[in-house]
């Protein structure tokens, strides 16, 4: 059996106010052509199908078109909800949609119940584990442990228990949307930390033949048969050196038989450049960036007049402009997401209270802040 593993489509997302729907449509064209050319049997999409719980109409239309075209090739599709998706909306009428050969897994109730697809060697069980919000999954399953490791560990226990009850030749594929320890994040993933614990160990997935991961936007191999496909497009400038695409995965009679990366088309390359304005506008070495989406850092000692207008005369796709004057004290110019990567959202709010007031928050204020974020997570996950 041949699989195409993809994830993190984020349909409906923009890039610094640039509409990406045409680029996302071009990726779908590429994906369908790959499915046809490579004789793919099953397309697996590991979450974040949409960029938000209430996606724009054009994104919903593109998603429906993508599924229709995948099925027209003869391939089946198995998909899960990610942390950007609405579980309730994606779970709507899935029992009816299953009959079409498209299998969306977006509810806690379905965890541990596979989609079984046969090939010449027998059955392959596809277990979809949607993004698990710990404070919703934990009470649903009556777990005492907290955090992502506890809820995903329980989900995998359900998978292994079901798999153990099946005939011995049954092979297995797990789709999961999670942050595996050791994975490299970019600036475009939404924080899923709960009390600072966002990561799960790769060992949680032991006992299955292949794990198709989503959430992190760079392709990564966590173990030979545990992989992130990454997003099909770059969604932040931190991804300028990423190679985007999907994994083509083969299963033989004994399980995982190998994987090959298939590159996706690049709608417009990204780059981050820096220098004095006049140098950037006149230097021949910068000519190769005129067609790129750019993040530009100007190093002029004095801030130039109308810098963005002047930059766009040569670099029409400049999207972000920063200033780092020569001679100034070096500053931490890492993206905000990197500078705050080890801080949870409640901790960031409490840091601000400390900075603004000159004194730390009281115990009662801390309790209120944490309760507010817990309520937000519940509301987001239920949308």
């Amino acid at each position: 059996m041949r699989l195409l593993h993809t994830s993190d489509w984020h349909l409906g997302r923009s890039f610094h106010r640039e509409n990406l729907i045409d680029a996302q449509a071009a990726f779908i064209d590429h994906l369908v052509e790959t499915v046809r050319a490579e004789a793919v049997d099953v397309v697996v999409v590991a979450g974040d199908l949409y960029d938000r719980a209430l996606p724009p109409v054009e994104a919903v239309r593109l998603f429906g078109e993508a599924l229709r075209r995948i099925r027209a090739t003869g391939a089946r599709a198995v998909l899960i909800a990610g942390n950007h998706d609405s579980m309730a909306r994606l779970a709507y009428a899935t029992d009816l949609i299953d009959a079409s050969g498209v299998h969306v897994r977006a509810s806690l109730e379905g965890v541990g119940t596979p989609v079984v697809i046969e090939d010449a060697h027998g059955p392959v069980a596809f277990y979809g584990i949607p993004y698990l919000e710990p404070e919703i999954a934990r009470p649903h399953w009556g777990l005492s442990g907290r955090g992502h490791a506890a809820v995903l560990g329980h989900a995998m226990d359900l998978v292994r228990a079901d798999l153990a009850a099946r005939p011995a030749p049954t092979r297995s594929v797990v789709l999961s949307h999670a942050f595996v320890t050791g994975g490299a994040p970019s600036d475009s993933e939404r924080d899923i930390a709960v009390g600072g614990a966002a990561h799960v160990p790769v060992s949680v997935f032991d006992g299955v033949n292949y794990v198709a991961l989503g959430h992190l936007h760079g392709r990564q191999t966590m173990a030979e048969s545990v992989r992130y496909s990454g997003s099909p497009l770059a969604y932040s400038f931190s991804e300028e050196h990423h190679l985007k695409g999907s994994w083509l995965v083969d299963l033989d009679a004994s399980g995982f038989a190998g994987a090959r990366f298939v590159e996706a088309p690049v709608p417009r390359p990204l780059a981050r450049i820096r220098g004095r304005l006049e140098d950037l506008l006149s230097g021949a070495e910068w000519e190769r960036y005129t067609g790129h989406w750019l993040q530009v850092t100007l190093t002029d000692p004095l801030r130039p007049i109308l810098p963005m207008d002047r930059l766009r005369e040569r670099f029409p796709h400049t999207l972000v402009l920063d200033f780092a004057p020569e001679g100034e004290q070096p500053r931490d110019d890492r993206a905000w997401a990197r500078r705050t990567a080890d801080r949870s959202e409640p901790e960031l709010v409490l840091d601000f209270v400390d900075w603004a007031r000159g004194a730390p928050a009281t115990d009662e204020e801390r309790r209120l802040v944490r309760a507010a974020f817990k309520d937000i997570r519940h509301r987001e996950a239920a949308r």
Side-chain angles (χ1 to χ4, degrees), residues 150-174:
V151 295
L152 189 52
H154 178 75
M156 282 303 301
D157 287 344
L158 295 176
V159 167
R160 284 185 284 264
D162 179 88
L163 189 58
R166 296 184 177 274
T170 302
R171 291 151 294 158
S172 53
V173 174
V174 165

Side-chain angles (χ1 to χ4, degrees), residues 182-201:
S186 64
D187 292 345
S188 57
E189 297 103 3
R190 181 184 293 171
D191 177 39
I192 61 171
V194 177
H199 300 188
V200 299

Side-chain angles (χ1 to χ4, degrees), residues 3 38 78 185 260-261 369:
L3 319 178
E38 298 287 353
V78 182
R260 171 167 59 89
F261 198 71
V369 168

Side-chain angles (χ1 to χ4, degrees), residues 3 15 22 30 43 72 117 120 133 136-137 198 229 242 249 273 277 306 316 320 328 342 365:
L3 319 178
F15 182 66
D22 289 342
H30 157 79
V43 176
I117 301 175
E133 175 57 49
I136 292 178
S229 66
H242 283 191
V249 178
I273 63 175
L277 179 59
L306 299 175
V320 179
E328 279 197 352
D342 62 343
E365 288 170 335

Side-chain angles (χ1 to χ4, degrees), residues 356-369:
R357 192 166 59 192
T362 66
D363 290 343
E364 177 61 16
E365 288 170 335
R366 291 175 178 275
R367 187 191 66 77
L368 287 172
V369 168

